[in-house]
Amino acid sequence: MSDTKVLKLVPKGKVKVSEAPAPATAPAPATAPAPVEEKKPQPVEEKKPQLKTFRPAPITRIEPASVPKPPAAPPTASKPAAPERRQRDKSERRERRDQPRLSREQLLAMYRTMYLSRRLDDKEIQLKNQNKIFFQISGAGHEAILVAAGMALKPGYDWFYPYYRDRALCLQLGMTPLEQLLSAVAAAKDPNSHGRQMPSHWGHTKLNIVSQSSPTGTQLLQAVGCAEAGYRFKLIKELRKRASNFRKDEVVYVSLGDGTSSEGEFWEALNSACNLKLPVLFLLEDNGYAISVPVEVQTAGGDVSRLIKNFPNLFLQRCDGTNALESLAVMKRAVQYCREGKGPSFVHAKVIRPYSHSLSDDEKLYRCEDERTADAERDPLKRFSAVLIGEKVIDTDGLQKIKDEVDALINEATDQALASSQPDPDTVKLYVYSPDVDPTSKEFDTEAGVELSGNAGTMVDLINRCLHTEMARDARIVVFGEDVADCSREEFLDQVKGKGGVFKVTANLQRKFGSARVFNSPLAEANIVGRAIGMATRGLKPVVEIQFFDYIWPAMHQIRNELAVLRWRSGGDWKAPVVMRVPVGGYLKGGAVYHSQSGVSTFTQIPGLRVIYPSNALDANGLLRTAIRCDDPVLFLEHKHLYRQAYNKSQYPPDDFMIPFGKAKTVREGTDLSIITYGALVQRSLVAAKQAEQQGVSVEVIDLRSLQPYDWSAITASVQKTGKVIVAHEDSLSFGYGAEIAARIADELFEFLDAPVRRVAATDTFVAYAPQLEDIILPQVADVAKAITELKSY
């Protein structure tokens, strides 16, 4: 007989613990089940239990990380109630008091949702085997803890960042079987992604389920940012009346598997959530395997909750996630801790995975039969049905009636899903960028006839002025990153000059707008971008700084797989218009390998991301204002060498000055040859053009300013006029940004060319520390001048 303990109903609400009865149904299969057989409902006369409600037994395995255990004391005959015993008794009394009262209807509803989740998995497996859908990944074995989580939280009130095993949670929150099957068949009306993502990638605007992606763990930092948005809204007085979609006691749920806890972003998320005491509920669904890799290989000691127990403000609990009633009690306590504003909760739920990781996996290749059989004995459906029957909540015939009703519902929903319309091929380009705000439009063009005033300022000065005026205009703007604040310890602000960024670009912003809107982040680039995404989904406008382009790479997962694709993958349901300001480039004398990088082509080929690169102070001001006011994510590149150059200074434009994206500027007219360039090569090209003029060569110089999108019409007009073209940039020659421009000119403008397209770029190496080496590696005026001479004589 199994040694599983269950709850026994007795008169007057008293609870006894008894041995579990033999299971009424066979264990769940360890591999994919056979196709579902339909059964006709049979009327049964259900027996009513003696009690309408009952409480589950207290859960003793609770480990609040913020409450240290009292020191052990030796037992004595005169004092039988030792301090640790009194503490334990007090904890148990509190737990008994907090136990949820469950009616018969609630118990049966729990079972129904758990069974519904399992049978939807089975139906999708059947459809995949029939080649009617294309992928399947199940939530089998996780149903108990997930239904409990859904019962403890509020759909449309709390916020949810699930992962692919969370089918039962989504059902409990209100997602219908049809909506989940529409995802499986890639239907146009699928509310999760409108046919753009794999099944089990959950998303639902009405339920506050934010679009989920495939990379494991990226959702964690976004959940922290989502919770932080509520925190910031409370602190920013101008926003308090505008916080219509915020609740003072809302909770942000985020789940993960045991394998995900190996990701660095897991630890970054915990760090920020605990540091800010954010109401984030972390649910670790530990089924012991990350595909085929067992937990002891993934995690030191095989138990991540032991590793995180010393995080401050973290309410840490463990539970048997296959026990529905224990899971509900633990989840309710975890949610309550968050609602009370005490900080984040972490629930470590031990669950099982009775099916393989997905239908692309076969667990028999790496799991022995004994282990799979042991898991089957802990199947949450089997255990909960035993509780319901053993406590006389329902009998076997009554359970069968529920199963028959669910099976009939799934079969009906399957027929509807299979008959649903697929997405229209013409919609494939929709939602790459905002359909509502077009930063390339005339609405963003106030450049003509702009009146300038005041003393000339550097690029740093005009970017700083733009940030000041935009933050004054829009209280939703928050600025954060490494070292961007004037002084994190506010009590010292009056005693110090203030940092304001390593290049002083954000100087005095904290003094003016306060620490709720301008603040420092941990030294973690993924943390910066991930949190910004979460904030942006809630309506804030994050303008973040990555201190050096060279160190943007830890955030690449968040930029490429989350920020740029969020709107498209959700079919326009979600967006994250984040602005990332990034100092970039070389020519610094001593910048070397890790302070001179310019790999912009890595980002310009990412759909959904705008990439802007001004060469002077005035353009930087106008383009940054457009970036902040547009509705798309923007990578705003600021060349470090150009920050304080005298030749690119400008007087100050008005506070509504904007330059549209995709509008190049002809900085020098010419007739013999065109140079297409941007960034630090603009000035070098101008100097080379002036030298060429002494030789009778008229050179036109086009500053792109905007790299994605770029101004193809300006390029076309210049090439048609001169017939010869050089593309000059700071990237390496091979696979650099100029390769795309050159290829398109050769493809579409070949008939206008009088010579091959030439490129001037950096060598295919890294940038060296020694100045004489840097001069050889990065393109200089002499390199541009040489290309002009050679191309003119072609």
Side-chain angles (χ1 to χ4, degrees):
M1 177 179 288
S2 169
D3 62 353
T4 304
K5 302 293 184 182
V6 299
L7 303 174
K8 185 72 174 180
L9 289 176
V10 295
K12 297 183 180 179
K14 296 181 180 179
V15 179
K16 291 183 179 179
V17 180
S18 62
E19 293 293 327
T25 57
T31 56
V36 178
E37 295 184 5
E38 299 184 28
K39 297 182 181 179
K40 296 181 179 180
Q42 298 181 1
V44 295
E45 184 176 347
E46 300 177 12
K47 297 179 181 180
K48 300 290 184 182
Q50 293 178 340
L51 297 177
K52 291 185 178 179
T53 63
F54 74 99
R55 292 178 183 268
I59 310 304
T60 58
R61 286 176 296 167
I62 298 175
E63 190 179 351
S66 57
V67 181
K69 295 180 179 179
T76 62
S78 59
K79 294 183 178 181
E84 65 270 19
R85 176 62 180 272
R86 288 197 302 270
Q87 179 74 12
R88 185 168 59 250
D89 290 346
K90 181 180 179 180
S91 176
E92 290 180 358
R93 284 196 300 271
R94 183 181 69 249
E95 291 158 13
R96 283 194 294 270
R97 184 183 68 244
D98 295 341
Q99 293 303 312
R101 298 181 67 87
L102 298 173
S103 67
R104 176 178 184 272
E105 290 72 21
Q106 287 175 310
L107 290 166
L108 296 182
M110 287 182 72
Y111 178 81
R112 184 183 187 278
T113 305
M114 290 168 61
Y115 182 77
L116 176 62
S117 180
R118 181 67 61 90
R119 296 308 273 169
L120 278 168
D121 273 328
D122 295 343
K123 175 58 72 173
E124 287 185 359
I125 291 171
Q126 182 187 50
L127 292 173
K128 176 65 172 67
N129 290 335
Q130 294 171 347
N131 292 319
K132 293 180 178 178
I133 66 173
F134 321 108
F135 180 79
Q136 206 282 332
I137 189 165
S138 82
H142 295 227
E143 296 94 347
I145 186 64
L146 291 171
V147 170
M151 292 177 69
L153 293 159
K154 302 176 185 179
Y157 185 100
D158 297 317
W159 289 77
F160 302 90
Y161 286 79
Y163 91 120
Y164 47 79
R165 304 280 185 211
D166 283 18
R167 181 188 299 279
L169 169 80
C170 295
L171 290 169
Q172 182 63 40
L173 293 176
M175 193 179 290
T176 68
L178 176 59
E179 288 175 326
Q180 294 198 351
L181 288 165
L182 286 173
S183 177
V185 301
K189 292 184 178 180
D190 157 37
N192 296 277
S193 74
H194 306 280
R196 294 185 169 192
Q197 290 216 90
M198 288 175 165
S200 298
H201 286 54
W202 313 111
H204 203 293
T205 54
K206 292 182 179 179
L207 302 174
N208 288 352
I209 303 173
V210 182
S211 173
Q212 176 209 330
S213 68
S214 289
T216 182
T218 49
Q219 74 275 16
L220 294 160
L221 285 168
Q222 293 167 40
V224 171
C226 178
E228 188 175 356
Y231 167 77
R232 301 282 166 197
F233 261 85
K234 293 174 185 176
L235 295 176
I236 303 170
K237 62 181 181 179
E238 298 93 338
L239 295 181
R240 289 172 189 166
K241 294 182 180 179
R242 297 169 58 183
S244 58
N245 66 331
F246 289 90
R247 316 287 183 176
K248 66 179 181 179
D249 65 343
E250 67 185 22
V251 176
V252 178
Y253 163 98
V254 63
S255 58
L256 64 149
D258 47 283
T260 300
S261 66
S262 300
E263 293 281 353
E265 292 182 24
F266 165 74
W267 299 93
E268 292 179 25
L270 273 178
N271 182 46
S272 289
C274 292
N275 201 25
L276 296 174
K277 296 180 65 174
L278 298 175
V280 182
L281 195 163
F282 295 88
L283 173 59
L284 173 60
E285 301 168 41
D286 183 356
N287 61 33
Y289 278 91
I291 307 185
S292 68
V293 183
V295 66
E296 71 272 13
V297 176
Q298 292 277 351
T299 304
D303 188 343
V304 72
S305 58
R306 292 183 181 178
L307 303 182
I308 67 171
K309 64 182 179 180
N310 289 324
F311 271 84
N313 306 314
L314 183 66
F315 185 46
L316 174 62
Q317 296 181 286
R318 299 168 59 88
C319 71
D320 181 349
T322 66
N323 183 320
L325 301 177
E326 178 181 335
S327 295
L328 180 59
V330 167
M331 289 302 301
K332 281 185 173 291
R333 283 193 285 275
V335 170
Q336 186 62 27
Y337 183 85
C338 292
R339 291 212 195 282
E340 292 174 355
K342 296 178 180 178
S345 293
F346 189 98
V347 175
H348 186 167
K350 298 288 287 186
V351 294
I352 62 167
R353 198 188 75 189
Y355 302 169
S356 296
H357 168 75
S358 71
L359 289 193
S360 302
D361 173 53
D362 182 1
E363 66 173 11
K364 292 180 180 179
L365 298 175
Y366 51 86
R367 298 188 71 187
C368 68
E369 184 65 26
D370 288 347
E371 183 179 84
R372 293 164 58 232
T373 300
D375 264 9
E377 288 299 311
R378 295 180 57 232
D379 189 289
L381 284 174
K382 171 183 173 181
R383 297 186 70 184
F384 197 40
S385 64
V387 170
L388 297 177
I389 293 172
E391 304 300 342
K392 303 188 185 306
V393 175
I394 196 171
D395 59 18
T396 303
D397 290 338
L399 275 185
Q400 188 59 52
K401 181 180 179 181
I402 292 175
K403 293 178 181 180
D404 292 341
E405 290 172 350
V406 168
D407 289 344
L409 174 66
I410 291 175
N411 287 331
E412 180 182 356
T414 300
D415 292 340
Q416 290 179 282
L418 290 172
S420 62
S421 300
Q422 293 286 292
D424 188 326
D426 292 338
T427 65
V428 69
K429 293 185 179 180
L430 284 179
Y431 309 117
V432 175
Y433 300 101
S434 172
D436 305 314
V437 181
D438 182 5
T440 69
S441 67
K442 292 183 179 179
E443 178 185 352
F444 288 88
D445 194 347
T446 63
E447 190 173 17
V450 62
E451 294 185 5
L452 306 178
S453 62
N455 296 325
T458 64
M459 183 184 285
V460 167
D461 296 329
L462 268 71
I463 291 174
N464 182 267
R465 171 69 70 86
C466 178
L467 291 170
H468 270 87
T469 58
E470 286 301 291
M471 291 189 75
R473 181 188 66 87
D474 187 351
R476 299 177 307 121
I477 297 173
V478 292
V479 173
F480 65 99
E482 299 162 25
D483 297 297
V484 301
D486 293 305
C487 181
S488 287
R489 293 173 176 167
E490 291 183 284
E491 64 271 24
F492 300 145
L493 266 176
D494 293 336
Q495 305 174 39
V496 297
K497 184 177 180 180
K499 182 71 174 177
V502 295
F503 297 102
K504 306 297 182 184
V505 180
T506 56
N508 294 316
L509 290 178
Q510 181 195 7
R511 292 184 193 274
K512 178 70 179 292
F513 300 103
S515 299
R517 296 182 62 192
V518 183
F519 48 94
N520 286 327
S521 72
L523 201 160
E525 287 75 15
N527 178 288
I528 296 169
V529 178
R531 286 164 61 196
I533 295 171
M535 292 183 203
T537 60
R538 301 295 303 278
L540 289 177
K541 184 71 179 188
V543 180
V544 302
E545 179 180 302
I546 303 296
Q547 196 168 86
F548 289 93
F549 180 88
D550 313 67
Y551 306 130
I552 199 171
W553 310 112
M556 196 61 180
H557 227 356
Q558 291 289 343
I559 295 170
R560 172 59 180 84
N561 287 325
E562 302 295 334
L563 178 64
V565 77
L566 178 60
R567 190 195 304 269
W568 188 89
R569 78 175 186 226
S570 66
D573 288 344
W574 299 96
K575 62 181 181 178
V578 174
V579 178
M580 297 173 290
R581 292 183 39 259
V582 186
V584 67
Y587 299 107
L588 290 179
K589 299 302 180 190
V593 179
Y594 298 110
H595 292 82
S596 305
Q597 294 178 22
S598 300
V600 299
S601 59
T602 303
F603 296 90
T604 53
Q605 57 91 34
I606 298 175
L609 183 66
R610 308 286 193 180
V611 182
I612 309 302
Y613 204 145
S615 67
N616 59 76
L618 184 62
D619 287 355
N621 180 283
L623 287 166
L624 180 58
R625 187 169 285 105
T626 299
I628 292 172
R629 296 190 188 185
C630 89
D631 202 33
D632 297 314
V634 180
L635 180 67
F636 194 85
L637 299 169
E638 303 166 5
H639 202 292
K640 301 187 294 292
H641 177 71
L642 302 180
Y643 266 152
R644 291 180 170 85
Q645 294 296 331
Y647 58 74
N648 67 2
K649 284 184 174 182
S650 171
Q651 290 180 288
Y652 291 85
D655 294 349
D656 62 351
F657 175 64
M658 289 182 288
I659 298 172
F661 293 169
K663 180 185 176 183
K665 183 177 182 179
T666 302
V667 293
R668 178 184 172 88
E669 297 280 355
T671 57
D672 295 331
L673 184 148
S674 302
I675 299 179
I676 313 300
T677 187
Y678 60 88
L681 264 296
V682 173
Q683 178 65 17
R684 283 160 177 74
S685 297
L686 285 172
V687 173
K690 290 178 182 178
Q691 292 176 359
E693 187 176 26
Q694 304 300 317
Q695 308 300 320
V697 182
S698 176
V699 178
E700 184 158 285
V701 179
I702 306 294
D703 180 3
L704 289 177
R705 305 192 292 189
S706 174
L707 304 186
Q708 177 59 286
Y710 61 88
D711 192 344
W712 178 242
S713 62
I715 295 173
T716 299
S718 186
V719 172
Q720 288 177 347
K721 179 169 64 171
T722 68
K724 295 181 179 182
V725 59
I726 295 170
V727 183
H729 59 70
E730 194 175 337
D731 268 352
S732 297
L733 179 68
S734 299
F735 314 107
Y737 180 80
E740 168 62 22
I741 304 298
R744 189 172 180 187
I745 291 172
D747 182 31
E748 299 183 29
L749 302 176
F750 181 77
E751 61 190 286
F752 300 103
L753 291 175
D754 297 325
V757 179
R758 287 289 304 269
R759 287 176 292 157
V760 176
T763 59
D764 292 341
T765 66
F766 308 101
V767 179
Y769 175 71
Q772 64 271 28
L773 295 181
E774 183 189 75
D775 289 345
I776 295 297
I777 293 165
L778 296 180
Q780 306 296 331
V781 171
D783 298 310
V784 180
K786 180 182 178 183
I788 291 173
T789 300
E790 292 176 350
L791 196 59
K792 179 62 175 68
S793 61
Y794 181 83

